[in-house]
Amino acid sequence: MDENIAILKGLGLTMYEAQAYVTLTSLISSTATEVSEKSGIPRSKIYDVMNGLIKKNFIEVEDGRPLKYTVKSPIEVLDREKERVNTQIDDTITRLTYIYENGMSQVQAPIWRVYGVEKIIAQEVEIINRAKTSVNMRIGFLFEGEGDALIKAFKKRRNLNVNILASPTCYINDEEVNIIKMFKDAGINIQKADIPFVKVLISDSKEMMHTYTKFSEDKRNVIPETAIGIWNKYEDIAKNYDDRFMNQLKKLKKKSK
C-alpha cells in the first residue's frame, strides 16, 4: 500500500477517499470522472467518495455541470488533522492514566520486577511523568541512553522539585561519562556523593524504583542483559527511603558549606 494512502487511512479516511485525495493533489481541480479514471475508483462509487471528502473538509466543490472538485492544501489539511489526533491522544492518555492509577491502587502487593534496559528506562520516565511534587534519585551508574532520557523527562517537568545524588563518573561502552556535568549542564539539580553501583528513583515519597546490574570484571561497564528493576509502590517503604535520602542530602549540603 502507498505510504501516503496508509497515513490518510490512519487519519480516518476510507481506502477510496485516501486514493481520491492523493489523486486530486496532482490534479488540483478536476471532475469526479477524471478522478475516477486516474485513481481506479469505480465510477459507481466516486460521487459518494467525493462527498465523503467534502464532509471531512479535505476538498471543496464548485457548482456547475459537471461539478468541479478542488483539493485543499495538504499543509492545511494535515496540520489540522495532526492537531485533532494529538488532542485525542492527550485526552486518551488522561483518561487511561486515571483508570491505570486507580487500578494500581487496588493491587494488593505493589512490587514488580522490570527486566531489560529499555523497559527499566521507560519505567523510570513513566514514574517521573506521574510525579506530582518531587523526584529524588541516587545514581551510581547509567545505562546507554539513560542519561539523555532522564534529562528529557525532567525538562518536561520543570515544576518538580528534583534532587540527584550521584557518583562523579561512570563508564558506558568503555567511555568515561561525567554524570555530574551531564545533569548540571542541563540545569538539573545534582550533587556529588559516594554512591555504590545501584540506582534508586523515588517519587513523591510514594513510589520508587531500585535498579541493579552486574558489571564487567574490571568494574567499569554494566552488563545490560543482567539489568533488573524493582518497582515498588509501598508508600511506607518509599517514604522511609526518601527520608534517608533527604538526611544524606542535608549532611552533604552542610559539609559543602
Side-chain angles (χ1 to χ4, degrees), residues 56-239:
K56 291 173 181 174
N57 206 17
F58 276 69
I59 65 172
E60 294 175 334
V61 63
E62 298 174 27
D63 286 334
R65 291 190 178 181
L67 295 173
K68 277 271 191 179
Y69 298 91
T70 303
V71 72
K72 286 197 169 187
S73 160
I75 293 176
E76 174 192 345
V77 169
L78 296 180
D79 274 352
R80 181 194 71 217
E81 291 300 303
K82 182 168 69 172
E83 187 174 340
R84 177 182 65 81
V85 170
N86 284 342
T87 299
Q88 289 178 340
I89 289 172
D90 287 343
D91 290 345
T92 302
I93 288 171
T94 300
R95 290 193 300 269
L96 292 181
T97 299
Y98 176 78
I99 295 168
Y100 171 78
E101 289 183 351
N102 279 345
M104 290 292 294
S105 65
Q106 319 258 336
V107 177
Q108 307 232 330
I111 295 178
W112 298 264
R113 285 175 290 185
V114 182
Y115 295 101
V117 170
E118 288 184 8
K119 289 181 180 178
I120 289 170
I121 294 173
Q123 188 60 51
E124 288 173 339
V125 170
E126 184 182 322
I127 291 170
I128 293 167
N129 289 340
R130 194 163 50 243
K132 299 288 193 298
T133 58
S134 67
V135 170
N136 294 325
M137 282 195 79
R138 285 192 182 96
I139 300 177
F141 65 90
L142 288 169
F143 296 118
E144 184 174 3
E146 184 179 16
D148 291 337
L150 291 172
I151 288 168
K152 184 178 178 182
F154 284 132
K155 282 187 172 181
K156 284 183 180 177
R157 302 298 313 281
R158 289 293 190 184
N159 59 315
L160 289 178
N161 179 22
V162 177
N163 294 293
I164 300 175
L165 299 177
S167 296
T169 61
C170 69
Y171 285 86
I172 298 175
N173 296 328
D174 281 322
E175 287 189 18
E176 188 177 45
V177 175
N178 189 321
I179 301 175
I180 306 297
K181 185 176 186 303
M182 177 190 293
F183 283 84
K184 271 192 175 176
D185 287 352
I188 295 165
N189 185 32
I190 188 168
Q191 279 195 256
K192 183 171 68 173
D194 183 17
I195 305 294
F197 289 145
V198 295
K199 188 158 55 266
V200 182
L201 185 155
I202 312 165
S203 165
D204 296 331
S205 294
K206 292 183 177 180
E207 74 176 297
M208 60 185 292
M209 178 97 154
H210 263 101
T211 305
Y212 307 92
T213 186
K214 290 183 179 179
F215 286 78
S216 56
E217 288 185 12
D218 58 8
K219 301 295 182 185
R220 284 164 58 103
N221 292 294
V222 301
I223 303 174
E225 58 269 25
T226 66
I228 182 171
I230 306 297
W231 175 27
N232 186 339
K233 290 197 75 173
Y234 276 117
E235 289 189 21
D236 288 347
I237 296 174
K239 187 175 186 311

Side-chain angles (χ1 to χ4, degrees), residues 17-65:
E17 286 171 349
Q19 287 175 335
Y21 182 76
V22 169
T23 299
L24 204 52
T25 55
S26 62
L27 297 173
I28 308 301
S29 185
S30 184
T31 65
T33 300
E34 289 171 329
V35 173
S36 172
E37 290 172 351
K38 293 280 187 182
S39 65
I41 298 169
R43 287 197 182 189
S44 60
K45 302 280 188 184
I46 193 64
Y47 284 101
D48 287 341
V49 171
M50 302 308 277
N51 285 335
L53 287 173
I54 292 167
K55 286 178 184 176
K56 291 173 181 174
N57 206 17
F58 276 69
I59 65 172
E60 294 175 334
V61 63
E62 298 174 27
D63 286 334
R65 291 190 178 181

